[in-house]
Structure formats: structure tokens, C-alpha cells
Amino acid sequence: MTLQPKKLQIDIVSDVMCPWCVIGYKQLAEALEATNTPHEIRWHPFELNPEMPAEGQNMREHLAEKYGSTTEQSSANREAMTRAGAELGFEFRYTDDMRMHNTFNVHQLMHWADQQGRKHDLEMAFFTAHFTDGRNLSDDAVLADVAAEIGLDRDEALAVLADQRFAADVRKAEQYWTAQGIRGVPAVIFNQRHLVSGAQGVETFTDVLKQLAAMPDEGASSP
């Protein structure tokens, strides 16, 4: 009888408005492949802009207000993220009219998709919709379109957003991770014990995975 290797549980706290979240995930994915690590990824909600109005805000204006970023700093950051994404197979297409959005409804749809085993797919689709295609993630119709494009039921997606049936579940999840001390994303937690904050690079994630593999008690934790 051959024992199956235990899967590494990986919890990722993320917001699809966060460019470093998709970069960090892509870095981690390369490290997982390189080390041939059996794993299970679970995505969890975080809102970078919980007070954002429904219409969103121009991204440059938002960053200037929130972080004091100059136009030059913003442009340099965009170029750095675009290069980092390209190296990992993800395309950033920044434009001057790109907007930041509140993602509470995005997270509700991902909670719904999780019940169908499609949360990861929808997370990736939303990253692409926002950063590559510049779609309006403040628009429920756009959110439902993105869900439909990966094979989920568009009408049901609209119904989920209309009645806000998962609002309490998402708030509870957000509050849980905040209570654990998560203040920024991406936050990557291995086996509910080891936190890596930010997009640390393929090499760093590879080193972490190798260290975890060398620990005899690092089997997957119970949920």
C-alpha cells in the first residue's frame, strides 16, 4: 500500500484590487510546481477599500489620496508590476482612466462559486477582468458576466448579488482574518501556522516550501 503525500494547506487572504495578490499567487504557483508540492489553496476575502463608493475612483487619484503617491511614483510602480506580471505570465494593462472598486460583491460571488468548487477559477477570472481587461467590477452585470464566462450560471449570480444572501458570511470571514492580525494582502498562511506577507518572489516561496517539507510534523492541518 502506497501512502499518499499529505497536501499542504495554503490559505491566501486577498483582494482582486491588489496587483501584488495576483503576482504573489503566480510566484507561489511557480514554486509549488518546481517543488512538486501536493497542496490545497483556499482563498479568503479582504477589502482594500471597504468605504469605496459604488462608482469607484480613478486609481491614480485614489493612490495619491491614500498613500500620497505622485504621478511619477505611480507610473514607476505600474511599470514594475507590469514587468513582474509579464515574467509570471500575467498581463497588466494600466490606463489613465483605470478605477479602483469596492469588492464586497466580488467576494460574495466568490463565496457562491466556492460552493461549486470554482472559487479559484473565479478569483483568477476577476484578476484578469480588472487588471488585463479593465472591466468595471462595480457593475453587478459585469460580475455576473465574468462568472458566466467560466461556466457558472449568470442568472443565479445576479440573484446572489441582488439578495445579498452571502453578505453575512463574507463579513464574518473578513472579520476572522482581521482578528488574526491580517492588515494587508496578500497574506499566505501555510498549514494555519506559517505566515508569508506580500509577494516575496518565486525563490522565497520555494525556500519556504522546502523548509516545510523538511518538517516531519507539517502535514495538512484540520480545517
Side-chain angles (χ1 to χ4, degrees):
M1 178 178 177
T2 302
L3 293 175
Q4 295 296 318
K6 293 181 179 179
K7 287 184 177 181
L8 180 66
Q9 179 179 319
I10 306 173
D11 294 285
I12 306 177
V13 187
S14 169
D15 189 349
V16 299
M17 289 293 110
C18 167
W20 295 111
C21 287
V22 66
I23 290 171
Y25 165 72
K26 292 289 188 178
Q27 293 170 344
L28 173 61
E30 284 201 6
L32 287 166
E33 183 175 359
T35 55
N36 197 30
T37 301
H39 64 278
E40 177 184 5
I41 290 177
R42 303 177 182 180
W43 293 91
H44 303 282
F46 187 94
E47 288 179 72
L48 286 174
N49 308 293
E51 306 304 322
M52 183 67 67
E55 67 273 13
Q57 183 182 18
N58 179 273
M59 186 176 290
R60 287 192 189 276
E61 292 176 2
H62 173 76
L63 295 175
E65 289 180 9
K66 190 171 184 177
Y67 303 110
S69 301
T70 65
T71 301
E72 292 75 17
Q73 290 171 328
S74 176
S75 295
N77 287 336
R78 288 183 176 195
E79 290 173 5
M81 287 183 287
T82 299
R83 287 195 301 270
E87 291 173 0
L88 296 160
F90 185 85
E91 184 178 4
F92 287 95
R93 295 179 190 160
Y94 283 106
T95 60
D96 287 337
D97 61 354
M98 197 167 187
R99 302 183 73 78
M100 296 291 285
H101 305 283
N102 174 273
T103 51
F104 187 54
N105 279 352
V106 170
H107 288 304
Q108 289 184 70
L109 269 196
M110 287 194 289
H111 184 92
W112 166 69
D114 194 30
Q115 298 180 342
Q116 302 166 74
R118 301 299 305 281
K119 189 173 190 177
H120 176 81
D121 298 329
L122 191 56
E123 181 100 17
M124 293 298 105
F126 280 136
F127 277 130
T128 298
H130 177 60
F131 287 112
T132 306
D133 300 331
R135 298 167 77 176
N136 179 8
L137 298 192
S138 291
D139 186 334
D140 287 356
V142 172
L143 300 185
D145 286 343
V146 175
E149 286 159 13
I150 68 162
L152 298 174
D153 186 278
R154 187 180 189 278
D155 291 339
E156 185 64 15
L158 286 172
V160 165
L161 297 176
D163 63 25
Q164 299 282 291
R165 69 188 69 168
F166 298 120
D169 295 304
V170 171
R171 288 288 184 229
K172 183 178 179 180
E174 290 176 336
Q175 291 164 3
Y176 171 82
W177 290 106
T178 300
Q180 303 309 303
I182 303 301
R183 297 291 183 269
V185 289
V188 184
I189 304 98
F190 298 94
N191 279 348
Q192 301 180 330
R193 301 173 187 170
H194 310 284
L195 169 66
V196 175
S197 297
Q200 296 296 333
V202 176
E203 184 175 343
T204 295
F205 280 122
T206 299
D207 288 343
V208 169
L209 294 174
K210 289 178 177 178
Q211 291 172 26
L212 291 174
M215 297 179 183
D217 61 341
E218 281 302 314
S221 304
S222 300

